Structure formats: structure tokens, C-alpha cells
Amino acid sequence: LVLEEVPAVGYGDIGGLGEQIELIRDAVELPFLHPDLYREHRLTPPRGVLLYGPPGCGKTLIAKAVAASLGAGGRGEAYFLNIKGPQLLDKYVGETERRIRVIFARAREKAATGVPVVVFFDEMDSLFRTRGSGRSSDVETTVVPQMLAEIDGVDELDNVVVIGATNREDMIDPAILRPGRLDVKIRINRPDAAAAQEILARHLTANLPLDPAELAAHRGDREATAASLRRVVVEALYARNEATAVLEITEAHTVSGASTRVLHLADLTSGAMLAAIVSRAKTASIKDELAGGAGGLSAARLRSAVKTEARQNEEITGATTPEGWARLLGTRTSQILSVRRLGKEST
């Protein structure tokens, strides 16, 4: 078990999640930076925060930025303890519970010195599933109570923040999510077109090598060229036509019965996917330059990267069960009955 120093990730590195960032800053930072005001208002700070939503949309980045911001606003240092849920599971009885106790013991040790500690549980649903569900060999019957005991003990500490991340919040034991524990719940949605522009602005900037033809088309204005290239990516991803149709899903609704709808690339886009598209275009630029070409990012290379990433993206091809598709698609109010990849055989 290693306590890491705070990651060098700030809120400015995160695009398209302004509303969610404000919510988590209100829940986490205000109590730490202004404890006198909280005592004056007799307001108890939240003990924990749950970030939930589809994979690849920035949950871990936000947790890292919280740790960095707490360090900058306090004594200039903070600690970020990153716990991946599956890593804690152990086949020996009582070992997982012991590891949870060790995690919080280390957090208390650092917090006692006045340094803020962020305890971040990634993939939280793999560890703290609903008791009696019959999954995970019923290990949750003892792991969940251990976690509840530790969270309830956090009220004695001024500098420990518990943040959980999951894309299946429905599988987490309700006792962990009740008010007084992880009582602040923030949904991290897939980016819309405007949010995608903000995310791309972090990855496709004017100081990167740009194709000379693209620069010439914008009279040498690097900012205008970069902005135009970002629009190319967004237009390719967020168009809704036959070429961008990916999946046809049939869902069962409690009230209205079964229904069928078509999902496009825009419905499966994530921040991680946008970053990967730009990375592919950069690789193509490097290969072109090594082959004797002009190199640089261009609209053609970005469109090609969009097609390649859409075809190979793990979110589209990785799920094989209704539960897996629900995780990837972020479906919360319906049950997925079947999924058909358009242009391919039904699955």
C-alpha cells in the first residue's frame, strides 16, 4: 500500500464538466478551506462523494483535481490514495477487510498532521456490492460492514475525503450511499458537442505541428486553424445519419413496455475517446513526416482517426451481456433486452 503524492492535474485540465466540478468543489473544498464558516453555520461537511456515469468520461480526473486543489488551497501539499476496487479482493477470508482497515489507518496517520488526504475508490461496484445479491461469492456481507465502520469513523477527521467512482451505481449497497456517508452523488455524463469542443481544446492546441495546407487556408492563423480542426472532429462524431449509426437496442420499461432506439457515435463518445482520436492523428502526422512529407495535423488525418477509433473502440465491441451493455451505455431506467450492431449479425 503506497500513499501517493497528489497528481499534477488541475481543474483547468478537464473540459466539458464545469457544472460537475462546481458541485464537487462545493461539497469537498469549501469545508476544508473555510471550516470557521461551517462551524458558524453549524453545518456538517459531507463525509464522501460518489462520482457515477459511463466509463472514460472524467471521474478519475476529477478526483485527482480535487486532491491537487486541496493541496494548493491548504498547506501546499496533499495526498491522493488511489484504490482500485478489484485489487482489494482476496480469496482468503478476512484479508479484504484487513486491507480496508490499513487504507484508512494510513489516511488517518497523514490527516493527523493537517495534510488533506483524498481516499479514492475506483470501480467501487466491484467491492461494495449490495449484500445478499449472491455476487462476488457473498464477500460483500463482511466487506461492506467494514467499509461502513470506516466511513462512519471519518467524522472525527477534518482532512480526509472519501471519493468513490463507478459506472454501475445501482450495484452498490444502499447503506454506503445513504445520507451521512457517500451522501453527495454527482453524475458524470457523456460529453455533448459543446463539451467535446472544450475537451478537444485541451488536446488539440495551436502550438502543435499543423499541416501547412491547413495553415494556408486560414492565412497562417494558428488559433483559427486549431479551432477549425476541432470542429472537424466534432462534426464527424456528432452527425446523426446512417454512417454514424452504431447500435440498435431494445429496452424494457416498467411503465411503457419495450421500445427500440438507434444509438449513434455521439451517444458513445467519451473524453477518453476524444483524446485517443487526437493521439491517432498525431501518430499519423509523425509517420508522414518521417516518410518525407510535410506532416502536421490535418482535417483528413483527424477524420481518418475518427473512423478508426469508432471501429476499434472498446465501448462498442467489448460488451457481451445485457449487464455489460447497461454499464457502457449508462442506462439507468430500463433493462436492455437485446443489442444489434447495425450492419452486422444480431447479438
Side-chain angles (χ1 to χ4, degrees), residues 221-265:
D221 188 332
R222 301 188 68 85
E223 292 290 347
T225 303
S228 175
L229 293 176
R230 291 194 290 267
R231 286 195 296 271
V232 166
V233 176
V234 172
E235 289 170 3
L237 279 174
Y238 286 84
R240 291 185 177 271
N241 50 46
E242 290 186 7
T244 63
V246 178
L247 301 171
E248 181 183 85
I249 65 171
T250 302
E251 303 168 279
H253 302 272
T254 305
V255 178
S256 57
S259 65
T260 300
R261 61 188 174 112
V262 174
L263 298 183
H264 295 258
L265 281 177

Side-chain angles (χ1 to χ4, degrees), residues 160-224:
V160 173
V161 179
V162 179
I163 301 178
T166 181
N167 41 40
R168 286 304 303 272
E169 69 281 0
D170 57 304
M171 298 173 67
I172 299 177
D173 193 285
I176 290 180
L177 303 180
R178 75 155 174 80
R181 289 171 179 152
L182 296 189
D183 46 2
V184 177
K185 304 167 187 66
I186 301 174
R187 179 168 178 81
I188 311 298
N189 293 308
R190 293 190 181 277
D192 57 15
Q197 285 275 13
E198 291 185 29
I199 294 170
L200 288 169
R202 271 70 174 177
H203 300 284
L204 205 169
T205 55
N207 58 357
L208 291 171
L210 302 175
D211 185 279
E214 299 285 351
L215 278 170
H218 294 85
R219 299 179 180 180
D221 188 332
R222 301 188 68 85
E223 292 290 347

